[in-house]
Amino acid sequence: MRHIIVIGAGQAGASCVAKLRNLGFDGRLTLIGAEPEPPYQRPPLSKSYLMGDMARERLYLRPASFYAEHAIDLRLGQTVEAIDTAAQRVTIGGEALDYDDLVLATGSVPHRLPPSIGGDLEGVYVVRTLADVDAQAPRFAEGARVLIVGGGYIGLEAASVASKMGLRVTLVETADRILQRVASPETSDFFRSLHRAHGVDLREGVGLARLTGEGKVTGAVLADGTTLDVDFVIVGVGVAPATQLAVGAGIDIDNGIAVDAQGRTSVPHVWAAGDCTSFPYRGGRIRLESVPNAIDQAEVVAENLLGAEKDYVATPWFWSDQYDVKLQIAGLNAGYDRVVTRAGATGTSFWYYRGTELLAVDAANDPRGYMIGKRLIESGKSPAPDMVADPQADLKALLKQ
Ligand code: FAD
């Protein structure tokens, strides 16, 4: 009987096995996850779950019974240590498992602060897993002083939750502005104002020099010499694709596990999907860290495992929740040279152009602007920037042309 093994019981791994069964695959199917939890969604970890507004059970992607009902051998709390691609075998502990096809869905690993600057002190957290969040949840007490290192989406979402819960929040960002890696100055301005209006002490262009404390963190020294007293620290300084296993197996890496448009790695019978991969996109190669990408790419891999020969065509979209603002992002803004601001009926959107080509839209509390922008980008249509800037202009009409 054909045996497919999927390594990584996260969003991509869970989507892949579910799709395989949905498509009628009736061979042996094994899903292996290092975490003790059945597959769950990560976005609420820095949003409603951190806030205490979402029950743990609602995080899980499927009911616990789903896996047994679909004859999926779900192995939790088990880390695959090695892959022998010649023998088509993976090793877990002392056990060896043979596969006919293997899918790597190993996700990302958060960057941590080095121990030399206090990164290993008690009270220093990252936000990646349910265990990370459960460990820091008791610290979210009114009046507690939290330092957030990094002004990307995870750091800003954590700042929003902490501020709403009455903590005293300081956020430091080494770059000149928050969200510098991912968004325009206009979007950064919008969120800077939002956080400051909620009392966050947001400092840009200043890095962390070191954390201080005896065993547990009690203070921080910033690069400009400022000292802060802190009760705990959240580090949100990005992630790296989890490629260690693939590297050990001699699989090609290029900013992630390099896959072709159909999800094949450089080694026969080994596929990959989700955060851990880089894949062809518009003549180049990209890596995305998002739920829609993990689901869509994993489902295409499942189809291709069954012979579909289908290319994955990414239609990037993302979201972030901060205070009462829902940010929705369509497209990829890499290479933009102009940003146009549009006032919508309920919010504001920022439209990214390269020359006359519309690349991406950031829509803050503007679901209509987001939907129209997303559909325009996906259909390759670029409204004139002047038209976008005019709040009276009917952009929806362009979709019918
Ligand atoms: P993961 O979900 O990381 O799963 C990979 C799994 O593989 C992990 O459980 C890992 O333990 C396991 N694994 C790794 N190596 C091994 C091994 N050797 N053996 C066994 N198991 C292994 N995306 C959005 O689109 N919108 C959001 O608002 C958003 N918010 C986020 C908030 C937070 C706090 C975080 C952390 C992420 C957020 N993301 C968001 C990103 C999104 O969650 C990820 O892009 C998505 O989870 C990627 O899915 P994945 O399956 O590729 O990786």
Side-chain angles (χ1 to χ4, degrees):
M1 187 191 273
R2 184 178 176 195
H3 185 198
I4 299 177
I5 298 181
V6 179
I7 304 177
Q11 187 74 64
S15 302
C16 186
V17 294
K19 186 74 178 178
L20 279 166
R21 285 298 188 228
N22 182 261
L23 291 170
F25 174 65
D26 60 2
R28 196 175 155 203
L29 194 49
T30 304
L31 177 61
I32 307 169
E35 293 180 62
E37 305 288 341
Y40 59 90
Q41 31 171 344
R42 298 192 194 281
L45 297 183
S46 52
K47 305 178 182 77
S48 50
Y49 184 74
L50 186 60
M51 188 79 199
D53 283 348
M54 187 182 193
R56 191 184 185 87
E57 297 69 51
R58 287 194 48 220
L59 288 176
Y60 297 117
L61 294 170
R62 315 258 170 192
S65 56
F66 173 87
Y67 302 95
E69 282 165 8
H70 290 80
I72 297 164
D73 181 8
L74 178 62
R75 294 165 165 243
L76 298 175
Q78 300 188 16
T79 302
V80 176
E81 288 138 15
I83 307 166
D84 180 340
T85 57
Q88 295 187 204
R89 181 171 299 153
V90 302
T91 314
I92 320 170
E95 194 185 355
L97 278 179
D98 291 340
Y99 63 81
D100 295 291
D101 283 284
L102 179 69
V103 180
L104 301 176
T106 48
S108 303
V109 185
H111 294 306
R112 292 173 191 268
L113 299 178
S116 56
I117 63 163
D120 59 349
L121 290 170
E122 191 198 321
V124 182
Y125 303 96
V126 292
V127 190
R128 182 73 199 175
T129 65
L130 196 43
D132 292 332
V133 175
D134 288 345
Q136 62 196 268
R139 304 276 189 158
F140 279 67
E142 195 172 343
R145 296 157 304 180
V146 59
L147 171 66
I148 297 178
V149 183
Y153 286 119
I154 302 268
L156 291 171
E157 288 179 353
S160 159
V161 169
S163 162
K164 276 162 81 174
M165 290 178 76
L167 281 75
R168 287 178 279 166
V169 185
T170 304
L171 184 147
V172 292
E173 167 56 59
T174 313
D176 291 344
R177 58 181 176 87
I178 55 169
L179 300 174
Q180 186 168 61
R181 191 177 62 87
V182 290
S184 64
E186 288 81 350
T187 301
S188 300
D189 291 348
F190 180 92
F191 282 101
R192 181 186 309 106
S193 302
L194 182 70
H195 281 271
R196 288 200 171 139
H198 283 85
V200 173
D201 177 1
L202 192 155
R203 305 181 189 201
E204 297 163 299
V206 58
L208 173 77
R210 63 182 188 281
L211 299 174
T212 54
E214 296 292 325
K216 74 184 203 8
V217 69
T218 52
V221 182
L222 305 186
D224 63 5
T226 311
T227 57
L228 302 170
D229 292 329
V230 302
D231 296 311
F232 72 108
V233 175
I234 297 176
V235 180
V237 294
V239 296
T243 55
Q244 199 186 350
L245 199 54
V247 170
I251 294 166
D252 286 355
I253 306 293
D254 180 357
N255 181 30
I257 301 169
V259 294
D260 67 12
Q262 299 191 355
R264 286 185 193 82
T265 69
S266 59
V267 168
H269 300 290
V270 183
W271 307 67
D275 274 20
C276 63
T277 68
S278 72
F279 57 88
Y281 182 79
R282 297 191 175 183
R285 180 166 277 284
I286 55 165
R287 179 169 58 82
L288 295 176
E289 298 158 9
S290 77
V291 166
N293 175 66
I295 296 173
D296 295 348
Q297 194 185 20
E299 291 193 347
V300 169
V301 166
E303 290 181 59
N304 289 333
L305 278 162
L306 303 184
E309 299 284 335
K310 182 174 166 183
D311 284 358
Y312 170 50
V313 181
T315 53
W317 62 277
F318 191 79
W319 74 93
S320 176
D321 297 328
Q322 296 168 47
Y323 308 101
D324 55 353
V325 174
K326 179 164 222 45
L327 175 72
Q328 294 168 287
I329 302 169
L332 284 183
N333 64 23
Y336 73 92
D337 53 27
R338 180 176 179 186
V339 177
V340 179
T341 302
R342 179 176 171 87
T346 55
T348 308
S349 54
F350 306 103
W351 297 59
Y352 296 78
Y353 283 84
R354 179 173 51 210
T356 55
E357 183 193 1
L358 176 64
L359 299 177
V361 176
D362 295 347
N365 283 344
D366 185 6
R368 186 178 157 82
Y370 166 75
M371 270 320 295
I372 294 172
K374 184 169 192 284
R375 287 172 60 192
L376 285 168
I377 293 163
E378 286 172 8
S379 56
K381 292 181 178 163
S382 297
D386 290 348
M387 190 175 173
V388 167
D390 175 2
Q392 305 304 327
D394 180 12
L395 297 181
K396 210 172 169 195
L398 293 176
L399 287 167
K400 299 188 188 111
Q401 291 172 12

